[in-house]
Amino acid sequence: MSGNPAVVMRLVASAYSVAEKAGSIVRKVLHSGELGIVEKTGANDLQTLADRLAQQSICASLSRRFPKITIIGEEDLPAEEVKEELIESGHSEEILQRTCPAEYSGAKEEELVVWVDPLDGTKEYTEASKCLHHQTEAQIPSKGLDPSQVQSTALWLLDNVTVLIGIAYEGRAIAGVINQPFYNYQLGAGAQLGRTMWGMIGLGAFGFQLQEVPGDKKIVTTTRSHSNKLVTDCVDAMEPHEVIRVGGAGNKIIQLIEGKASAYVFASPGCKKWDTCAPEAILHTVGGKLTDMHGNAYRYNADVKHMNSAGVLATLRNHEYYVNRVPQSVLQALKSD
């Protein structure tokens, strides 16, 4: 490491600690049971106190240390003073010790764009909270579930939740940090909850064990709560052996890199740049690919539209196989940017 690390390395090192802080905020709000839920565009598009506090923490912490970067967050929040307790000033020393890839070493602060989803999988987060806080034992028998089943359902939903911080340079997603606030919940009381993974193209990906689905199996992961005929037709066209329906774009990319799914197929314009920037960078780092349904890459410049209008297709391997199976009806319905 040089005596003066490259700006992008300092940014990733800070983003790592900031994502961990955001993850702890997400856990704290869930534990309180006071989620402060508001609907943005409907029942499947929610915002909670955790979304708001985590975004404030991420944006304020990073902009304080890197005042010239552009930060684009999912939540449209009013400008207000951020409480000092939300500020994270730490960084990962381990990341700073690594050598910056030559192609990014000259990147200036003002050339970097940070895409932030403070709580990816909000719907699952709110459903898990309801299970944990509002489901009394008296209510459970009427649903045919015992308390342990309700607890298990709630905790499974929390697997879907991530904090995403993606870093783009010259329009490309080059680095990403993903925090899973509730990782390790299966270990029960006293377990150290949460994990943080990160990656940078040209440097490597860390914080997880890369695994692949066996080559002869095709497992597709897709949306749990935003499906429609187009989405279903496209998934069916892949002729998968199995379909997994879960929440959160970050969670679906984790499934790809940990060998639980072969492809993430979402033939709909519901995903945004803050959903895909960090996961794409990590996926790309380990040899995977994320594109629209036409096979075209998304751009992450500061001035691009936020919606991924032509859907999302992501794979760890054999991307062309899946691109070639996208039905014409889907390609016609989803115009590439």
Side-chain angles (χ1 to χ4, degrees):
M1 182 195 77
S2 66
N4 187 19
V7 170
V8 70
M9 296 306 295
R10 291 192 290 111
L11 179 56
V12 175
S14 292
Y16 185 96
S17 295
V18 167
E20 294 204 317
K21 170 79 168 182
S24 70
I25 292 169
V26 169
R27 286 192 296 272
K28 187 176 179 182
V29 172
L30 184 86
H31 183 70
S32 76
E34 300 295 328
L35 265 60
I37 300 168
V38 296
E39 288 189 11
K40 294 192 287 186
T41 61
N44 285 334
D45 188 15
L46 305 175
Q47 183 195 87
T48 69
L49 177 62
D51 293 87
R52 297 188 287 275
L53 292 179
Q55 180 161 308
Q56 286 180 339
S57 175
I58 294 167
C59 294
S61 300
L62 292 179
S63 61
R64 182 176 289 193
R65 298 190 77 172
F66 306 93
K68 295 178 184 175
I69 61 172
T70 299
I71 304 177
I72 304 171
E74 175 178 9
E75 309 305 338
D76 189 11
L77 302 177
E80 58 183 328
E81 192 70 28
V82 176
K83 293 178 182 176
E84 200 62 31
E85 67 198 48
L86 293 176
I87 302 296
E88 173 57 58
S89 56
H91 63 265
S92 164
E93 192 61 41
E94 190 269 332
I95 293 175
L96 280 188
Q97 295 298 325
R98 297 185 178 273
T99 302
C100 181
E103 59 192 302
Y104 315 131
S105 60
K108 298 184 178 68
E109 203 173 295
E110 57 269 28
E111 295 174 322
L112 298 170
V113 182
V114 179
W115 293 87
V116 174
D117 190 338
L119 201 172
D120 187 38
T122 300
K123 188 171 191 299
E124 286 70 27
Y125 181 74
T126 60
E127 289 177 18
S129 178
K130 286 175 186 173
C131 284
L132 292 169
H133 294 288
H134 304 305
Q135 190 76 292
T136 66
E137 290 193 26
Q139 293 171 306
I140 290 165
S142 67
K143 293 182 179 290
L145 295 172
D146 63 32
S148 65
Q149 285 176 300
V150 172
Q151 181 86 352
S152 173
T153 300
L155 295 175
W156 173 80
L157 288 166
L158 291 175
D159 248 350
N160 296 222
V161 175
T162 58
V163 175
L164 307 175
I165 304 177
I167 298 166
Y169 174 57
E170 295 181 342
R172 292 170 57 231
I174 65 160
V177 178
I178 301 178
N179 176 271
Q180 267 190 308
F182 301 100
Y183 182 76
N184 264 352
Y185 68 77
Q186 301 95 330
L187 300 183
Q192 180 72 39
L193 284 182
R195 67 167 169 174
T196 304
M197 54 190 77
W198 70 279
M200 178 183 282
I201 296 171
L203 182 58
F206 310 88
F208 63 94
Q209 188 68 44
L210 181 65
Q211 291 180 285
E212 296 184 36
V213 172
D216 58 342
K217 281 197 82 175
K218 294 192 291 293
I219 303 174
V220 168
T221 183
T222 191
T223 182
R224 175 176 172 267
S225 56
H226 297 88
S227 197
N228 56 40
K229 187 177 186 303
L230 215 57
V231 170
T232 305
D233 287 350
C234 195
V235 168
D236 290 345
M238 304 300 161
E239 298 184 350
H241 296 99
E242 184 183 344
V243 178
I244 306 169
R245 290 179 173 83
V246 295
N251 178 42
K252 294 181 187 76
I253 300 303
I254 291 171
Q255 290 185 318
L256 296 183
I257 62 179
E258 293 196 322
K260 296 183 179 73
S262 326
Y264 166 25
V265 180
F266 185 48
S268 171
C271 227
K272 312 286 199 316
K273 299 295 187 302
W274 44 71
D275 293 310
T276 53
C277 186
E280 177 180 334
I282 293 175
L283 182 63
H284 192 167
T285 298
V286 296
K289 200 166 184 179
L290 185 150
T291 66
D292 66 17
M293 302 311 294
H294 299 260
N296 299 321
Y298 279 114
R299 304 288 295 174
Y300 294 92
N301 306 74
D303 57 354
V304 299
K305 67 179 181 180
H306 298 165
M307 185 77 76
N308 291 333
S309 303
V312 174
L313 180 59
T315 59
L316 183 60
R317 304 285 180 260
N318 305 318
H319 196 77
E320 287 308 309
Y321 167 86
Y322 292 94
V323 171
N324 292 335
R325 297 194 76 86
V326 176
Q328 272 305 122
S329 59
V330 170
L331 299 177
Q332 289 166 1
L334 300 176
K335 299 300 182 189
S336 196
D337 288 352

